[in-house]
Every structure is written in C-alpha cells, then in structure tokens.
Amino acid sequence: MFAVHLMAFYFTKLKEDQIKKVDRFLYHMRLSDETLLDIMARFQAEMQKGLGKDTNPTASVKMLPTFVRAIPDGSEKGEFLSLDLGGSKFRVLKVQVSEEGKRNVQMESQFYPTPNEIIRGNGSELFEYVADCLADFMKTKGLKHKKLPLGLTFSFPCRQTKLEEGILLSWTKKFKARGVQDTDVVDCLAKAIKKHKDIDVDILALVNDTVGTMMTCAYDDPYCEVGVIIGTGTNACYMEDMSNIDLVEGDEGRMCINTEWGAFGDDGALEDIRTEFDRELDLGSLNPGKQLFEKMISGLYLGELVRIILLKMAKAGLLFGGKKSSALHTKGKIETRHVAAMEKYKEGLANTREILTDLGLEPSEADCIAVQHVCTIVSFRSANLCAAALAAILTHLRENKKLVRLRTTVGMDGTVYKIHPQYPKRLHKVVRKLVPNCDVRFLLSESGSTKGAAMVTAVASRVQAQRKQIDKVLALFQLTQEQLKAVQGKMRTEFEYGLKRDTHLLATVKMLPTYVCGMPDGTEKGKFLALDLGGTNFRVLLVKIRSGRRSVRMYNKIFAIPLEIMQGTGEELFDHIVQCIADFLDYMGLKGAQLPLGFTFSFPCRQTSIDKGTLIEWTKGFKATDCEGEDVVDMLREAIKRRNEFDLDIVAIVNDTVGTMMTCGYEDPNCEIGLIAGTGSNMCYMEEMKNIELVEGDEGKMCINTEWGGFGDNGCIDDIRTQYDKKVDEGSLNPGKQRYEKMTSGMYLGEIVRQILIDLTKHGLLFRGQISERLRTRGIFETKFLSQIESDRLALLQVRRILQQLGLDSTCEDSIVVKEVCGAVSRRAAQLYGAGLAAIVEKRREDQGLENLKVTVGVDGTLYKLHPHFSRILQETVKELAPRCDVTLMLSEDGSGKGAALITAVAKRLQQAQKEK
C-alpha cells in the first residue's frame, strides 16, 4: 500500500516539475484576463476601422458586407440546390425545406472530385466542370425539368455589391484557376450553366462558409446572429446594423458582415502578443506577414506550432535528453489531430507516447507529461484569442441593441472545435468570463456551410417572394402624376358645383359661405373672448389685440369634453360649454364683463350671416342629439340664458380653417387661403363675391369654407381608393361620408396603416403571421406613431420599441416594412392634399386673369406640424401640379383661438364702418 502511495506521490511531483518547466519556457503564451480584455478592445477598434468608408482600405480586419440581410424565420419552404466549392472535394446538395412551423430539412448530396488540372487550369474549364457535375446531379435526382434556386458556397475572399455577385479578390488554398481573379464568379458559373439547355437554375446567393454556418444554426435557433469557424482556417461573421456599415448605401435593417478576422494583427496590432515561435512559423508559411491571427489559432497551424516548440525545447536540452529526430525537424509532421489526441482525457498520455515514438523519439514519462502540457498551452491560447475576438463582437451587438443584457446564440463549426476534446469547453468558459452581461448559447452547425448556402437561398427566395407581395400592396398607394392631375381636375369641378345655386345641393364639396368679408388690416384692437370646439378638448380664451404694433396676447384654459357629453343631448353639450365659460370668467376675474365673442366651431355649418350657423352634420366622433339642422349660435345663446349669470355678445361663428387663414393674414397680407391638416382635413379661401351664387351681391370677396373632406362621396375618386380605405370607412361612425378626409387626415391614417398591417400579417409577411390582440383593436395605431416611426433620426431599434408598446413583437425586417407602410400612407395623404391645394390656387390664378400667382397659405394641424416629411411632399406636389403659382406655406400660430378673436375684431370693425356709412 505504501509503495502505491509512493508511486502516486512520485508521479504527481514529476507532473508538477514538468508543468513548471514548460510554463517557464512558454511564459509568453499564457495570456492573463487583463491581456484578453485588452485584445478584445483592440479587436473592437479594428472592427470600427473595417466598417468605416475612409478607414476600411487600411484596415486589417476587412469587415466585408455579404448582402445577407435576414436570417431564417421558419416560414421558408421549397426545394433548393447548393454547391460547395472551396476544398479538396466539390459537393452538390439538394435541400428540401418543409412547410411552415415544422422547421424540417431533408438533404441529398453528392461529392465530386476536384482534379488538380481543373483547379489549376483555365477558369472557364473550372466552371464548365462545376456545371457538368451539377447537370449530372440533377439528372440522377430527376430534377432536370424543374426551375430551382441555387446557392453557391464559395470559400475564397470576394468583394460583393449584392447577394448574387462576388468579385474574386484572390485564390487561396490550392486553387489557382487562370482568368478568374477580379471577375464575378456567379456570372462565370451562370454562363457555364447556360450551355446546358436541359437544366434551369437561378443563382440567388453567393455565400462564405462562415455565413453558411450562421444561417444553418439560425434555422434551428432564431437567436443565432453570429457564426464562427475554427477549423483549417478561422473566421467569424455576425448581423450588423446597416446604419454602422459605411460601405453600403442605406440605413435600414441589418446585414451579415464577414469579418475575415484571420488577418487581425497584420498591421502590427498584435506584435506584443506574438512569440518567437509564431514568428518562425510565419516565416516558413506560404504567405509570410499575412493572416497572423489565424496562424495563432487555426488547425492548419496548431500542430506546426507544437513541433517548433518541441524542437526548441529539445535543442535546449529540456526534452528527450536533448536528442532530436529527423521527423521532428520536418515541417508539417505534427498535425492538429495529433494535438487533439495528445490532450484526450485518460488516454492522452498513451497517445502522446505513441505519437512521439512515431516521430523517431524515445520519450520518458516526464517527456510525455511535458509535451502534453505544451499542447495544452498552445490550444488554450488559441481558444483564449478566439474568445477575446468573439467577446468583442458580442459586446458590439449588445451596444447596438442598447441592452443591459444580451441573449444570443453563436453558430459554431470547424474541425478544431469539433474534434479537440477540451477546446469547446475552454472557449465557452473564457467568453462567458469576458462578457458576463451576455447570455451566450453555442450551437454546433450540422452539415455546415453547404446547408447554410441553401438556407441563404431559401431566405433570399422567401424575401424575394414576400417583397413582391409587399410591393404590390404599397403600389396601391403610389399615385402617378396623371392620377394626381385627375384628382386636381375633379376637385376643381366640385368647387364649381358647390358655388353654383343649381348644382350646390348635389356637390360633395359644399363651398359654404362664411360671411367673413375682410382680412385684418392692423387697426383691430380690444379684448375678445374666443371659444374653440372641434375635438375632445374645449378651449376658452381671452385675446387682447393692440393696434399698430400687430401684437396679440392670449390667456386660455382647456376643458375636457367627456364622451357621454359628446354623444349625449345637444342641451347637455351646450350647458357643459357654458359651465366651462363661467369657470374661465371666474378664473380670469371677468365675471360681469360684456365682451364680444368669436365661436370657433369646427364642424360643417351652413351660414346665413356671420353670427348664424346651422349644423349640417357632426364629424370627428361627435353625436349629440337635436343639433343637426339647428343654429348652434342660438343653442349657445339659449344655454347662456338658462344659466342666467352673464351675457355675451356673440359676434361670429367661425370654422377653424378660417381662423387659421385669419391668423396668418394678420402677419402676411398675401395670405388668402387656410388649410388644416390635423385630426380633420379642410381648406378655405377668399372668393370673389360674383362667383358665389348662394349669396346676394357681386362686390368684394367672402371667405368660402370648402368642407372638402366630403370630396369623393359621390364615387368620383373610387379609382384610387384601396380595400384598406374601404375597411376604414366601413368601421367609421359615418360610413360613405368624408371619403377624402378618411384618406388624408390624422384621425384615419393610423387606422389605414393598422388595416394594412393586419392584411400583411394574415399573409405571413409580418410578425411571423401572428396577429396580436392589440393589433385587432380599432384606433390602437394612432397617427402620432406614423410621425415617430417615419422620423429620419429614429433608428429601427426605436421603431421596434414603439411596436412593442403596441404589443407587436417585431423583427428588424418587420420594422422596415412597417416604416415603409407608414411612409406610403402618409405620402399619399400629402400628395392628395397637394392636388386639392393645386386646384384652388390654379382657380384663383385663372379667376384673376394672372400669368403667375403669388399667394400665401396659412396652415395648421398636428399632421402638418409633427410629421417629418408631410409639409415637404405637400409643397412638392403643389409645385408640380400648379407650376405657375408661387405658393408659400405659413405655419399658423394658434389659428382657432387667435383667429376667432381676429374675425370678431374684423367683424366689429366692419360693423362700425357700416354704421358710420
């Protein structure tokens, strides 16, 4: 028993001594945590250099865009072909991706040799050989009469400008075919395939093997967004935000970047990490000074590094009693498979003795322990370096997503990772230590890059098909110049109908006289009350106007109008309004004051004088009974009488659009048109009295409230109404009415977007085909979200957050589509506004017999104010449709309040002038 203990003690002591000896010799190959964090920071800096347009040419880490923009989402289906060219054998593969939901892939493949005379001969012969093999495979599998998409895995450095193109930068490995460098390899292959008249193949994707690995794993795990290969060579790829890729146009979405990290350090960035052994290995390699990071990591070099170290240790008398063999002097005699075998748990020492004996050495027990430890240090350093670069990528991804913790999956492949017994465990452990705020899953790629090329092709095929369907929907909202001209012409016709006595009743655009007959001239002064009713809030204002300096001061209070009042009785509504006025007068200390009042009432009214307005119909969700067909000024007077606390002089009932025009007219005498682009949609303008057949008199001008929201209620614009417009109309409070408004105003744009999103989701084009409960809810997609989503400053990450608030779990691709939908709907709205406005300015120009018209349009409304592109598109459309009109759009400051007071002031001034006459 004592002898056994003595032997165990002797062996432990021997092992300790040998390990210490090797550790001292290979001191520089042991990397501390601090050093690894430093390497990680250096790699992050190299990534930034590679991504920048100006710095990329000198960057050692090339960060090549792959034009792979999406990972599999599980909805891919169909048959795909894949070719894998890049190794000693060439492989053709047929991949059958099953129906949605099952994520099932069946594969049939065939290997073909790549003879030296083919891979080192003429380039056209190489591609003809590949095409012959493909034709043979398709014949064998009975695929000759099918049109199939194909993906090509091409494991050589290529510069890509699109997914289905790749300019070969240089051959590597043993390939040397002439006349291919600097040409498009996809084009070369396509030409060779064309010679086979009996096969029909569409090359959709050219893929690097690392990208193939990521895509294969992403099919099984949607969290996978990084691919790493540690095999004969080493490389990594990951999904990068387009906004960070200077080399490719566009900021939307993501794209896979092939880092080509093997060249990290080629610019001297790793000189302090490299050892004398690395330098010796590099000098003896086929490409000295290149791929320096790869030479410290990959399977092509690990065995050779071990050989160089063992030879140096033997020369120093630290191994084999100072003896060396000719095999130990021979380059390439120790391979990475030997390193893996020597590091095996339990049988590692026996394997070490056998391998060293095969090299013509006579190793002692101590030698075997030392050699095994050399292998451990070399392969451990490889895993450490790989972990540092991978940790840099993971940190970059986490920062891109602005997350405290990142959950992600890394797809792994390569012989070193697969066959080395300790490698995966070491790599995982170091990565987790370097990025404690990332939850990383490592997934081994099954059937690797070739299946990956098929998956890239399947995704490209899916994206292509989906894109066609999405474009088809978006095309419904793209109005041509002819269509806009037609809208302009029809609007003009409706204006004329509305102004004429005989056709007025049939007109959809009511052209209501407002009895506002003058614009401010700067002499207005005094205190005025203004009321503003037009939405869920009701405002009471005190407006002080000082003459001469055109100065206006305002004090206001906002009161809510509850739904039960909006949709109760007329008496309740006006009693509530008077209660609000009483509260305001109290608040301002004006209880007994007799003030002139202007009432902004933003609903269609037929007026017979400036202080009389009969409500035609409620809009914007109001439904109070016993009001339609009644004079709302009388109803307000009655309510004031019922209260019996104060008396007010109601001078004018005003539409908010007219108020907007008056406010801007106070600043700019050229302003004689008012436009509202907000919850509702409307326009007013100053018309010659002689053109208004509904009102007596031919002298001067009067403001006409067009109420153009009803344009199209007679079906005249049905040719541009979509199924989504019809859906929104059917679900509204007033089906069949206000059709133009429902295509242009803030109350409805979000609802149109919601209907489109539901339809796209039903067709599996959004949100993985899942319609959330929130998306089914009417009104959930408010128009303010359009303005936010379309903001140029908003990254897709923030778009996704907005969608998450709406209960929509969106991918990056979903966010792009939602943004496009919002853009299409709001662009059409702005263009339709432009067509309507062009109709009125052209009418004014012709009426005045002018060659060119210069006019200012006062504009108000949340859509115009808040939407990032609305005003620009509106202006561009007017310019295109009315080129002889110089139109200035002027934003109104508080049109409905200040405007009502100004109209009241102008009316008082005109009354006074009338009296004096």
Side-chain angles (χ1 to χ4, degrees):
M1 189 69 192
F2 176 71
V4 171
H5 277 299
L6 195 64
M7 275 303 291
F9 174 75
Y10 166 75
F11 188 75
T12 308
K13 184 85 177 72
L14 178 70
K15 195 171 180 180
E16 276 176 12
D17 289 348
Q18 293 308 311
I19 285 171
K20 277 178 185 166
K21 175 175 78 180
V22 172
D23 280 349
R24 275 195 300 274
F25 193 76
L26 298 181
Y27 172 75
H28 286 297
M29 289 188 111
R30 306 295 295 263
L31 304 173
S32 67
D33 289 355
E34 199 178 327
T35 305
L36 291 177
L37 286 166
D38 183 35
I39 293 168
M40 185 176 148
R42 291 185 213 180
F43 188 73
Q44 267 191 292
E46 284 299 319
M47 285 171 73
Q48 295 301 343
K49 263 172 91 172
L51 288 169
K53 200 172 201 165
D54 300 334
T55 46
N56 175 275
T58 57
S60 56
V61 179
K62 279 298 172 205
M63 306 295 278
L64 302 171
T66 64
F67 294 83
V68 171
R69 295 171 187 266
I71 59 170
D73 67 359
S75 69
E76 292 77 16
K77 58 178 186 283
E79 280 183 307
F80 304 93
L81 290 170
S82 184
L83 303 180
D84 190 355
L85 184 65
S88 52
K89 286 179 182 169
F90 159 60
R91 187 180 182 198
V92 185
L93 186 82
K94 185 197 102 173
V95 180
Q96 174 81 45
V97 185
S98 77
E99 290 294 320
E100 287 117 294
K102 294 179 190 161
R103 287 191 183 250
N104 183 18
V105 176
Q106 289 168 326
M107 295 186 290
E108 295 175 60
S109 71
Q110 171 128 12
F111 285 97
Y112 293 89
T114 46
N116 270 345
E117 64 271 19
I118 291 287
I119 65 171
R120 293 182 180 183
N122 191 301
S124 57
E125 284 169 16
L126 168 66
F127 288 104
E128 278 163 20
Y129 174 73
V130 171
D132 292 345
C133 296
L134 175 65
D136 173 71
F137 177 82
M138 290 179 80
K139 184 181 175 184
T140 312
K141 303 294 176 191
L143 300 170
K144 278 222 165 172
H145 301 293
K146 283 187 175 179
K147 183 176 171 71
L148 291 174
L150 179 141
L152 170 63
T153 301
F154 192 72
S155 307
F156 303 96
C158 281
R159 184 175 62 250
Q160 288 186 261
T161 53
K162 49 188 179 206
L163 184 59
E164 68 282 14
E165 176 193 280
I167 309 296
L168 177 67
L169 298 176
S170 60
W171 286 116
T172 56
K173 303 164 201 173
K174 295 175 183 171
F175 280 69
K176 270 277 183 286
R178 295 185 301 278
V180 185
Q181 201 166 322
D182 295 323
T183 64
D184 177 9
V185 292
V186 174
D187 189 49
C188 295
L189 179 59
K191 280 176 181 160
I193 291 171
K194 262 203 181 119
K195 292 180 181 173
H196 292 266
K197 304 292 181 205
D198 50 349
I199 63 172
D200 192 0
V201 169
D202 190 9
I203 308 172
L204 288 189
L206 175 76
V207 185
N208 174 281
D209 53 350
T210 320
V211 181
T213 297
M214 181 188 78
M215 293 299 266
T216 302
C217 295
Y219 187 67
D220 298 316
D221 180 346
Y223 280 99
C224 182
E225 51 189 343
V226 183
V228 174
I229 288 186
I230 312 162
T232 313
T234 181
N235 196 9
C237 69
Y238 71 101
M239 294 302 286
E240 176 62 275
D241 287 358
M242 280 290 290
S243 54
N244 294 332
I245 309 172
D246 284 356
L247 302 167
V248 181
E249 286 297 308
D251 280 348
E252 305 295 4
R254 300 198 301 167
M255 183 181 285
C256 180
I257 288 289
N258 164 22
T259 64
E260 289 292 346
W261 77 8
F264 177 38
D266 287 7
D267 58 354
L270 295 175
E271 281 315 294
D272 54 330
I273 306 297
R274 291 174 74 227
T275 63
E276 57 181 296
F277 317 115
D278 296 307
R279 291 189 176 94
E280 191 172 320
L281 178 141
D282 177 45
L283 284 172
S285 71
L286 287 170
N287 54 349
K290 302 266 171 76
Q291 300 295 99
L292 298 182
F293 190 59
E294 183 168 81
K295 285 171 184 167
M296 297 159 84
I297 288 173
S298 81
L300 195 59
Y301 304 103
L302 292 183
E304 182 60 10
L305 260 179
V306 168
R307 185 192 70 80
I308 289 168
I309 292 164
L310 299 187
L311 184 59
K312 290 218 172 204
M313 286 184 79
K315 281 179 180 172
L318 296 170
L319 282 177
F320 319 126
K323 291 182 182 140
K324 305 168 285 294
S325 66
S326 64
L328 191 60
H329 275 98
T330 309
K331 188 181 162 186
K333 275 291 180 184
I334 299 179
E335 295 172 22
T336 297
R337 64 188 170 90
H338 297 133
V339 177
M342 289 191 269
E343 282 196 75
K344 267 196 173 162
Y345 186 61
K346 287 186 178 168
E347 65 256 47
L349 274 178
N351 290 344
T352 305
R353 181 176 293 281
E354 192 182 318
I355 289 161
L356 293 173
T357 307
D358 286 349
L359 289 169
L361 298 161
E362 294 172 12
S364 65
E365 192 71 36
D367 288 334
C368 291
I369 291 167
V371 169
Q372 192 182 36
H373 193 53
V374 168
C375 291
T376 300
I377 287 177
V378 168
S379 63
F380 213 129
R381 183 184 70 154
S382 164
N384 275 338
L385 289 169
C386 230
L390 178 55
I393 290 174
L394 295 171
T395 301
H396 182 71
L397 278 174
R398 186 180 62 77
E399 287 169 355
N400 274 356
K401 296 183 183 191
K402 298 182 171 58
L403 293 172
V404 178
R405 273 197 96 69
L406 171 74
R407 176 188 171 186
T408 194
T409 298
V410 178
M412 300 294 305
D413 203 356
T415 45
V416 174
Y417 187 84
K418 281 181 182 170
I419 67 163
H420 192 292
Q422 317 294 334
Y423 202 99
K425 196 168 63 191
R426 289 171 186 165
L427 177 78
H428 302 171
K429 191 176 176 183
V430 180
V431 168
R432 288 178 179 130
K433 188 161 59 172
L434 293 175
V435 280
N437 45 7
C438 296
D439 299 319
V440 190
R441 178 186 180 214
F442 291 88
L443 185 60
L444 184 63
S445 161
E446 297 300 330
S447 54
S449 54
T450 322
K451 176 182 166 187
M455 290 319 308
V456 172
T457 310
V459 170
S461 183
R462 162 177 69 79
V463 168
Q464 209 176 59
Q466 287 178 341
R467 191 68 249 175
K468 270 185 189 158
Q469 285 180 273
I470 291 162
D471 286 345
K472 209 170 158 185
V473 170
L474 296 179
L476 299 171
F477 291 85
Q478 285 154 8
L479 301 177
T480 63
Q481 185 86 346
E482 285 69 39
Q483 285 173 311
L484 289 169
K485 269 194 155 49
V487 171
Q488 179 185 6
K490 288 170 187 174
M491 182 71 90
R492 177 74 184 267
T493 304
E494 288 296 315
F495 289 161
E496 304 300 348
Y497 280 176
L499 288 170
K500 290 191 166 40
R501 188 176 279 112
D502 300 343
T503 49
H504 175 78
L505 290 173
L506 298 171
T508 57
V509 179
K510 286 297 175 208
M511 306 297 276
L512 303 170
T514 64
Y515 294 84
V516 170
C517 297
M519 297 294 285
D521 66 1
T523 62
E524 296 77 18
K525 61 177 192 286
K527 285 184 191 173
F528 303 89
L529 264 189
L531 311 181
D532 180 10
L533 179 68
T536 47
N537 288 332
F538 169 63
R539 280 194 314 157
V540 186
L541 304 95
L542 174 68
V543 183
K544 293 181 179 176
I545 303 173
R546 292 165 71 182
S547 68
R549 296 214 318 254
R550 289 185 185 256
S551 129
V552 177
R553 291 181 72 185
M554 292 187 292
Y555 310 87
N556 73 71
K557 204 165 181 193
I558 294 172
F559 301 90
I561 299 202
L563 193 64
E564 62 272 18
I565 299 272
M566 280 169 73
Q567 301 184 358
T569 67
E571 201 166 285
E572 286 167 346
L573 174 64
F574 282 94
D575 283 347
H576 179 74
I577 286 170
V578 171
Q579 173 66 56
C580 297
I581 296 169
D583 289 353
F584 179 76
L585 292 173
D586 223 13
Y587 170 71
M588 293 299 294
L590 293 168
K591 205 63 186 257
Q594 172 84 339
L595 294 172
L597 179 143
F599 184 12
T600 300
F601 187 74
S602 306
F603 304 93
C605 280
R606 185 166 283 109
Q607 288 185 253
T608 51
S609 69
I610 197 162
D611 63 348
K612 289 201 172 304
T614 304
L615 176 63
I616 297 171
E617 63 183 337
W618 284 119
T619 54
K620 301 181 228 179
F622 275 74
K623 275 275 188 232
T625 57
D626 309 322
C627 294
E628 290 178 0
E630 298 295 326
D631 183 349
V632 290
V633 177
D634 284 347
M635 291 184 83
L636 180 60
R637 285 188 177 125
E638 291 299 319
I640 291 170
K641 265 189 201 153
R642 279 196 297 279
R643 178 116 189 155
N644 200 20
E645 263 184 38
F646 49 81
D647 195 17
L648 295 169
D649 174 16
I650 305 172
V651 174
I653 177 166
V654 185
N655 176 283
D656 56 346
T657 322
V658 184
T660 295
M661 180 185 76
M662 293 301 265
T663 304
C664 292
Y666 189 61
E667 309 290 335
D668 179 350
N670 258 343
C671 179
E672 50 173 48
I673 299 172
L675 186 70
I676 296 277
T679 313
S681 166
N682 199 10
M683 189 270 294
C684 71
Y685 72 103
M686 294 302 286
E687 177 61 275
E688 310 295 330
M689 281 291 288
K690 62 176 186 282
N691 295 333
I692 310 170
E693 293 186 5
L694 301 170
V695 181
E696 291 299 314
D698 282 351
E699 293 303 316
K701 293 179 185 174
M702 182 184 285
C703 179
I704 289 289
N705 165 23
T706 64
E707 286 297 342
W708 75 4
F711 173 52
D713 289 0
N714 59 359
C716 72
I717 53 170
D718 279 3
D719 59 319
I720 59 167
R721 286 176 79 226
T722 66
Q723 69 201 68
Y724 310 107
D725 296 308
K726 288 167 189 164
K727 269 259 173 65
V728 169
D729 182 38
E730 284 159 19
S732 69
L733 287 169
N734 54 349
K737 303 237 173 107
Q738 299 293 101
R739 288 180 180 181
Y740 180 70
E741 179 166 85
K742 285 171 187 166
M743 294 165 82
T744 54
S745 80
M747 188 159 181
Y748 300 101
L749 296 188
E751 192 53 21
I752 297 171
V753 168
R754 187 181 73 89
Q755 290 296 346
I756 299 169
L757 299 188
I758 287 174
D759 189 44
L760 293 177
T761 309
K762 273 183 188 164
H763 286 94
L765 303 171
L766 274 183
F767 312 131
R768 301 179 183 88
Q770 306 293 312
I771 302 178
S772 69
E773 256 333 291
R774 296 288 299 278
L775 191 56
R776 291 179 202 277
T777 312
R778 221 184 103 73
I780 187 73
F781 206 98
E782 295 170 47
T783 298
K784 69 172 180 186
F785 294 133
L786 267 77
S787 299
Q788 290 170 6
I789 285 169
E790 286 188 70
S791 165
D792 295 329
R793 292 194 306 278
L794 208 61
L796 279 181
L797 201 64
Q798 290 157 296
V799 175
R800 286 176 77 177
R801 288 214 183 107
I802 292 169
L803 294 173
Q804 274 163 358
Q805 287 166 20
L806 297 170
L808 303 170
D809 183 20
S810 72
T811 63
C812 196
E813 288 70 41
D814 290 339
S815 305
I816 293 172
V817 174
V818 171
K819 196 166 181 175
E820 284 182 277
V821 169
C822 291
V825 170
S826 63
R827 182 177 182 79
R828 184 190 67 164
Q831 286 179 318
L832 287 173
Y833 260 103
L837 189 54
I840 204 67
V841 295
E842 269 299 302
K843 174 178 158 44
R844 293 298 296 134
R845 184 186 68 77
E846 287 174 22
D847 285 352
Q848 293 170 60
L850 296 171
E851 188 63 34
N852 293 292
L853 172 74
K854 189 172 169 58
V855 68
T856 298
V857 179
V859 196
D860 202 356
T862 47
L863 191 56
Y864 182 85
K865 283 181 186 170
L866 303 180
H867 192 282
H869 309 301
F870 193 91
S871 58
R872 175 180 54 79
I873 297 164
L874 167 60
Q875 189 117 36
E876 283 169 5
T877 310
V878 176
K879 203 168 191 171
E880 278 169 22
L881 299 179
R884 289 197 277 174
C885 299
D886 179 5
V887 180
T888 303
L889 298 179
M890 180 180 183
L891 186 61
S892 156
E893 294 303 325
D894 192 40
S896 46
K898 183 171 161 184
L902 283 165
I903 289 168
T904 308
V906 170
K908 288 299 267 184
R909 171 168 65 76
L910 294 176
Q911 277 174 16
Q912 194 62 37
Q914 199 71 31
K915 271 184 198 166
E916 285 167 11
K917 268 186 189 175

